[in-house]
């Protein structure tokens, strides 16, 4: 279909979506009223091809060709990422998995077995398939199951079943779950109440998975030095399997950490999960021959935040972001700027001489800023201008919640 649509794109490209599908069918689909078509081989390969699958394939193929034509025109006009970038190629093998309609394409027998209509080479027949694994979304009464897709990869096939989630309205407690994403500790959690009380704190660091990833990345540099020597270039796709494995390990780490964050927020019935706004942040290199820049590349700040937001949204919760400036630099007790230990960067020394975990100090301040943001959003605080003698209101610390609570009592 991609080849047919690409060949006739000069005619089909000007049509609307509703006009394009019947136009393509006139080229390759034989009927009683249309016995002669230009490309009759399609019906010979796919006998009795269902109309809803055929039209889904036409729409997908048209999208592939349209994207290729747009990118190729941009390349011809000089809009390129690199000066000597090669022209884009039209690829038809990109994985088209159309939806399976209930009763016509699949029949679900409980959650143990499903019948799927498949093409066996000569006809479309029903085939019973055993369901070997499930998740928990079908157990929620308010979730509505949508049409699944049969997805294939190199080793497995599985039903990708989307759900329309309508969580019940929550009645949260007056606290927030603050998350400080770091390098020494993947995630530091602090549950902070609106009066400044720290209810719970936790440290999440899947060290075993991180070691597995770092060990593989270290092997890449060793193999590169043996391949190139003192000079030369690596070929395209060098150690691609190793990089793919590391990406999957990072994916797993993101799910492990985000699941634990959501569990803590659900346990304490938090009003929101608070993250630092790290969008656009770029790593800075450390001292000479240090691996700080490489460690920053393994910092899963965006992946953990996105996974957490997806999981927490299914439970009816919300994720908010606060200003990242001075979260770890200011002491949570309001004593001033902390000083990091030169030998152990995870430790911070307050101006009062107190030594404290730097990530936990940052989590306290993140929770305080999140709580104040929620209070201002709900309209429970006077929006007067800030005092010129103090730091900006967005740089609040945990001590500001204490001061607010004591002023209310007074």
């Amino acid at each position: 279909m991609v080849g047919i649509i690409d060949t006739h794109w000069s005619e089909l490209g000007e049509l609307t979506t509703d006009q394009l599908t019947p136009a393509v069918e006139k080229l390759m689909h034989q009927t009683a009223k249309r016995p002669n078509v230009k490309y009759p081989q399609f019906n010979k390969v796919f006998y009795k091809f269902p109309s809803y699958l055929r039209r889904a394939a036409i729409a997908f193929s048209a999208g592939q060709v349209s994207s290729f034509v747009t990118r190729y025109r941009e390349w011809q006009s000089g809009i390129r990422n690199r000066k000597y970038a090669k022209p884009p190629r039209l690829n038809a093998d990109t994985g088209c998995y159309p939806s399976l309609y209930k009763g016509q394409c699949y029949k679900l027998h409980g959650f143990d077995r499903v019948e799927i209509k498949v093409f066996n080479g000569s006809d479309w027949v029903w085939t019973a398939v055993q369901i070997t694994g499930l998740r928990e979304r079908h157990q929620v009464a308010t979730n509505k199951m949508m049409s699944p897709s049969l997805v294939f990869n190199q080793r497995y096939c599985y039903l990708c079943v989307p759900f329309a989630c309508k969580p019940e309205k929550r009645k949260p407690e007056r606290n927030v779950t603050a998350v400080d994403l770091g390098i020494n500790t993947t995630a530091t959690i602090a549950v902070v109440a609106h009066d400044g009380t720290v209810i719970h704190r936790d440290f999440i660091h899947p060290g075993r998975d991180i070691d597995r990833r770092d060990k593989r990345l270290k092997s890449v540099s060793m193999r590169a030095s043996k391949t190139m020597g003192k000079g030369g270039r690596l070929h395209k796709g060098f150690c691609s399997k190793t990089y793919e494995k590391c990406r999957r390990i990072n994916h797993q780490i993101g799910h492990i950490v985000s699941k634990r964050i959501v569990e803590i927020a659900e346990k304490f019935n938090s009003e929101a999960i608070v993250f630092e706004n790290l969008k656009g942040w770029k790593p800075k290199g450390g001292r000479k021959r240090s691996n700080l820049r490489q460690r920053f590349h393994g910092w899963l700040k965006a992946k953990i935040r996105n996974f957490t937001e997806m999981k927490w949204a299914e439970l009816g919760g919300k994720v908010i972001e606060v200003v990242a400036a001075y979260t770890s630099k200011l002491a949570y007790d309001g004593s001033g700027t902390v000083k990091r230990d030169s030998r152990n960067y995870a430790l911070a020394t307050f101006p009062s001489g107190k030594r404290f975990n730097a990530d936990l100090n940052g989590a306290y301040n993140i929770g305080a800023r999140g709580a104040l943001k929620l209070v201002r959003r709900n309209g429970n605080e006077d929006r007067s201008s800030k005092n010129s003698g103090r730091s900006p209101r967005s740089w609040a610390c945990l001590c500001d919640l204490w001061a607010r609570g004591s002023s209310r009592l007074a």
Side-chain angles (χ1 to χ4, degrees), residues 181-182 186 213 249-251 253-254 296-305:
L181 300 176
T186 305
R213 179 199 64 193
I249 294 175
N250 284 337
H251 196 79
I253 293 173
F296 270 125
H297 283 299
W299 188 21
L300 309 177
K301 55 183 178 64
K303 191 181 290 292
I304 293 174
R305 187 232 179 268

Side-chain angles (χ1 to χ4, degrees), residues 146-220:
M146 311 300 287
S147 298
S149 299
L150 187 63
V151 180
F152 288 85
N153 58 25
Q154 295 179 354
R155 294 186 295 174
Y156 305 107
C157 66
Y158 54 92
L159 281 176
C160 180
V161 186
F163 280 85
C165 299
K166 295 182 179 180
E168 297 180 358
K169 191 173 182 179
R170 300 176 65 247
K171 296 180 180 179
E173 303 290 338
R174 290 175 58 82
N175 65 67
V176 296
T177 299
V179 184
D180 181 81
L181 300 176
I183 300 176
N184 298 315
T185 304
T186 305
T188 306
I189 317 297
V191 182
V192 181
H194 283 199
D195 60 357
T197 305
V198 179
I199 305 172
H200 177 78
R201 58 186 185 180
D202 202 347
F203 299 90
I204 307 174
H205 189 68
R208 180 179 295 180
D209 295 317
I210 294 173
D211 289 343
R212 288 196 301 127
R213 179 199 64 193
D214 294 345
K215 185 178 179 180
R216 285 173 169 81
L217 291 176
K218 184 64 176 177
S219 69
V220 173

Side-chain angles (χ1 to χ4, degrees), residues 96-113:
C96 176
Y97 309 113
S99 299
L100 305 180
Y101 297 103
K102 189 174 182 179
Q104 298 173 327
C105 293
Y106 82 98
K107 297 176 183 177
L108 190 64
H109 302 283
F111 292 102
D112 300 325
R113 187 170 60 92

Side-chain angles (χ1 to χ4, degrees), residues 54-69:
R54 181 180 64 248
R55 287 164 186 166
I58 290 174
F60 181 84
S61 303
Q64 291 294 110
V65 176
S66 176
S67 174
F68 163 74
V69 171

Side-chain angles (χ1 to χ4, degrees), residues 192-197 364 367-369 371-372 375 397-406:
V192 181
H194 283 199
D195 60 357
T197 305
Y364 286 175
R369 296 179 186 184
L372 290 173
V375 168
C397 300
L398 187 64
C399 61
D400 293 320
L401 291 182
W402 299 341
R404 182 176 173 274
S406 61

Side-chain angles (χ1 to χ4, degrees), residues 100-150:
L100 305 180
Y101 297 103
K102 189 174 182 179
Q104 298 173 327
C105 293
Y106 82 98
K107 297 176 183 177
L108 190 64
H109 302 283
F111 292 102
D112 300 325
R113 187 170 60 92
V114 62
E115 286 188 87
I116 304 173
K117 183 177 282 189
V118 297
F119 187 65
N120 64 358
S122 60
D123 200 1
W124 292 85
V125 296
W126 289 100
T127 301
V129 181
Q130 194 73 20
I131 298 176
T132 59
L134 291 169
R135 294 192 177 179
E136 297 81 20
R137 290 189 179 95
H138 65 285
Q139 299 176 357
V140 181
T142 56
N143 288 352
K144 182 181 178 182
M145 178 179 169
M146 311 300 287
S147 298
S149 299
L150 187 63

